[in-house]
Amino acid sequence: MAGQLPGKENRTMASALPDEAEARAALVLALRQRGVGARDVLAAIERVPRRLFLSARHHSLAYEDAMLPIECGQIVSAPSIVAFTVQALAIDSSHVVLEIGTGSGYQAAVMSHLAAQVETLDRFATLTDLATRRFEALKLTNVKARQADGLSEFRQKGPYDRIVVNAAVEEVPDPWLQQLKPGGILIAPVGQAKMAQPLIKFQKTESVVTAETLMMVRTVMLQPGIAKKL
């Protein structure tokens, strides 16, 4: 994620770097070899320049399968975690998606190529401002970022077809499930701080919610409230 804002120079960054398309194609091949089989997800990942969502000092690692630090003490997930998560969401072009934890905006950008609309929330205005500039640079008009408390505040656009949470909670709050449509999917890490957490896929029917563990991850805990702009 950027210490430098994506202004005019950065808007053409992908085209200015001759190895960019090759690096993205290599990342997609590596993800396919790791078991990501959804062609639409792989195509979306290939279309999004991850380098644009990182600070200059991390550009050389943009297409490595690694989590990296970003502003406000947060992280951007490894591409494989993004790919497996988005694949498990099974997003289609009619879906409205809520993301809690914008981070760099990279995952929201990937989902914007699959969904009708993506709304992404973060407690840090710094992160939502940066993400908005990145979305604008990439001309992604169906994704909107805003500062909000993801534990309690939702714009009245719900219920949502899909909800994805990028920080861990000890248990899933009832409002999240209430904002999920029947047939909807919610994916969130559920566990304790400073430990590996199961990434759990919740699927809602008219009467019950089922849960399936997808993998183990290690991420920050979701914090309540909104933060002052840094």
Side-chain angles (χ1 to χ4, degrees), residues 10-160:
N10 288 2
R11 288 193 180 115
T12 57
M13 181 171 60
S15 59
L17 295 166
D19 62 342
E20 179 80 15
E22 183 179 341
R24 278 188 257 169
L27 172 62
V28 166
L29 177 60
L31 294 173
R32 185 181 291 118
Q33 291 172 341
R34 291 198 61 175
V36 180
R39 292 183 179 181
D40 58 345
V41 174
L42 292 170
I45 287 173
E46 191 165 9
R47 293 179 69 181
V48 177
R50 189 172 185 248
R51 194 187 306 254
L52 181 63
F53 294 84
L54 299 170
S55 63
R57 66 183 178 275
H58 293 127
H59 283 177
S60 63
L61 302 173
Y63 299 102
E64 299 294 322
D65 190 25
M67 70 171 62
L68 294 168
I70 61 172
E71 295 79 8
C72 303
Q74 305 301 297
I75 59 169
V76 58
S77 296
S80 60
I81 299 297
V82 173
F84 281 114
T85 299
V86 175
Q87 178 174 261
L89 285 167
I91 299 167
D92 72 34
S93 60
S94 70
H95 287 159
V96 177
V97 179
L98 174 66
E99 178 184 53
I100 298 173
T102 305
S104 71
Y106 175 71
Q107 181 172 270
V110 170
M111 294 190 296
S112 75
H113 291 289
L114 303 169
Q117 185 72 37
V118 179
E119 181 181 0
T120 180
L121 314 179
D122 204 286
R123 68 189 301 265
F124 291 102
T126 298
L127 297 182
T128 56
D129 290 350
L130 281 169
T132 296
R133 295 190 187 196
R134 291 162 179 151
F135 301 151
E136 290 172 350
L138 294 172
K139 296 181 168 59
L140 302 176
T141 59
N142 67 331
V143 55
K144 304 297 180 185
R146 67 184 183 92
Q147 185 185 25
D149 180 354
L151 283 168
S152 62
E153 181 188 348
F154 299 97
R155 189 184 298 277
Q156 294 305 311
K157 289 185 178 179
Y160 296 90

